[in-house]
Amino acid sequence: TQLLEQSPQFLSIQEGENLTVYCNSSSVFSSLQWYRQEPGEGPVLLVTVVTGGEVKKLKRLTFQFGDARKDSSLHITAAQPGDTGLYLCAGRYTGGFKTIFGAGTRLFVKA
Amino acid sequence: GAGVSQSPRYKVAKRGQDVALRCDPISGHVSLFWYQQALGQGPEFLTYFQNEAQLDKSGLPSDRFFAERPEGSVSTLKIQRTQQEDSAVYLCASSPAAYGSGETQYFGPGTRLLVL
């Protein structure tokens, strides 16, 4: 059972378009991370957000942590074919060892 | 500068066979995690080691699953009497520090297990 709901599950867009993917939960997390995973490889960390309301930017990627630390979004500006991949959000609780992953958003950017 | 490595990369097992999956973490990393990733899903936590101590094994699906890290470096995930529902990618991740809330986990490429 996934405690983190990601939407949309699948997204196919043209190069140059903007997009936003969402990660929602009823639980409060001490931190939330976004990963990108390519076929045949393990996930690679993109960003960690810790403070409610925090916004982080990584080139064309903007990450936001909700004020209540229950949800997050990833916005990509002017998507490129190299952005194609599976985007996973993952949350952690204070005092626990588990990282809880969402099912992911599979993004395909067409040239 | 090697990353996390896992072996074998692919494993086909007949139902009922035992399998052993190996993880070589980044040298010196204190924390080691095992995850199971079913097709079309995100990784699911199996177990966590801090050095040689297994501090959390709450994610292991059954007593057929066993993990060890006897010297605090290499880890092995063993699955006894494999069943078809065990088919998945098994990911290992390591982290330089003891568990906290924001440190980076470095993932290996995974072992893809297919149980026939």
Side-chain angles (χ1 to χ4, degrees):
Chain A
T1 303
Q2 300 285 358
L3 300 180
L4 279 170
E5 298 291 332
Q6 289 192 242
S7 61
Q9 292 183 333
F10 181 80
L11 191 55
S12 180
I13 61 171
Q14 290 292 138
E15 182 177 6
E17 292 184 5
N18 302 332
L19 68 118
T20 302
V21 299
Y22 299 92
C23 175
N24 295 291
S25 175
S26 58
S27 302
V28 176
F29 294 104
S30 61
S31 66
L32 197 139
Q33 299 177 316
W34 284 92
Y35 292 81
R36 189 174 116 190
Q37 185 176 23
E38 300 195 35
E41 299 181 8
V44 175
L45 181 67
L46 297 174
V47 76
T48 299
V49 286
V50 178
T51 306
E54 184 175 3
V55 177
K56 283 192 174 179
K57 293 192 175 184
L58 182 66
K59 297 183 180 178
R60 294 176 294 100
L61 278 59
T62 302
F63 305 85
Q64 184 161 7
F65 201 13
D67 291 341
R69 292 187 289 142
K70 293 182 179 181
D71 53 82
S72 182
S73 64
L74 159 60
H75 181 79
I76 301 179
T77 303
Q80 299 177 0
D83 296 327
T84 293
L86 178 67
Y87 289 82
L88 295 159
C89 67
R92 292 184 166 179
Y93 302 108
T94 301
F97 298 108
K98 288 186 180 184
T99 298
I100 307 297
F101 281 85
T105 292
R106 191 166 298 279
L107 173 65
F108 181 66
V109 182
K110 295 175 282 189
Chain B
V4 177
S5 62
Q6 293 187 244
S7 61
R9 291 294 312 274
Y10 303 92
K11 177 70 179 177
V12 179
K14 291 183 180 178
R15 187 162 53 93
Q17 280 186 333
D18 297 348
V19 298
L21 312 180
R22 177 185 170 108
C23 172
D24 285 79
I26 295 173
S27 178
H29 276 199
V30 169
S31 292
L32 187 144
F33 303 81
W34 282 99
Y35 294 87
Q36 181 190 61
Q37 186 172 22
L39 190 64
Q41 298 296 315
E44 289 207 24
F45 171 87
L46 294 177
T47 188
Y48 166 70
F49 289 87
Q50 184 174 308
N51 295 309
E52 69 278 2
Q54 188 175 20
L55 299 185
D56 190 335
K57 54 182 181 179
S58 63
L60 296 176
S62 75
D63 58 8
R64 296 187 295 105
F65 287 71
F66 172 77
E68 60 183 3
R69 194 186 185 199
E71 298 179 357
S73 55
V74 171
S75 178
T76 303
L77 176 67
K78 297 179 179 177
I79 309 174
Q80 297 177 324
R81 303 180 304 281
T82 53
Q83 300 178 6
Q84 288 185 323
E85 60 262 31
D86 299 335
S87 295
V89 175
Y90 291 85
L91 295 164
C92 174
S94 71
S95 181
Y99 180 82
S101 64
E103 77 286 347
T104 299
Q105 292 183 46
Y106 297 88
F107 282 82
T111 293
R112 185 175 298 275
L113 173 65
L114 177 62
V115 182
L116 301 176

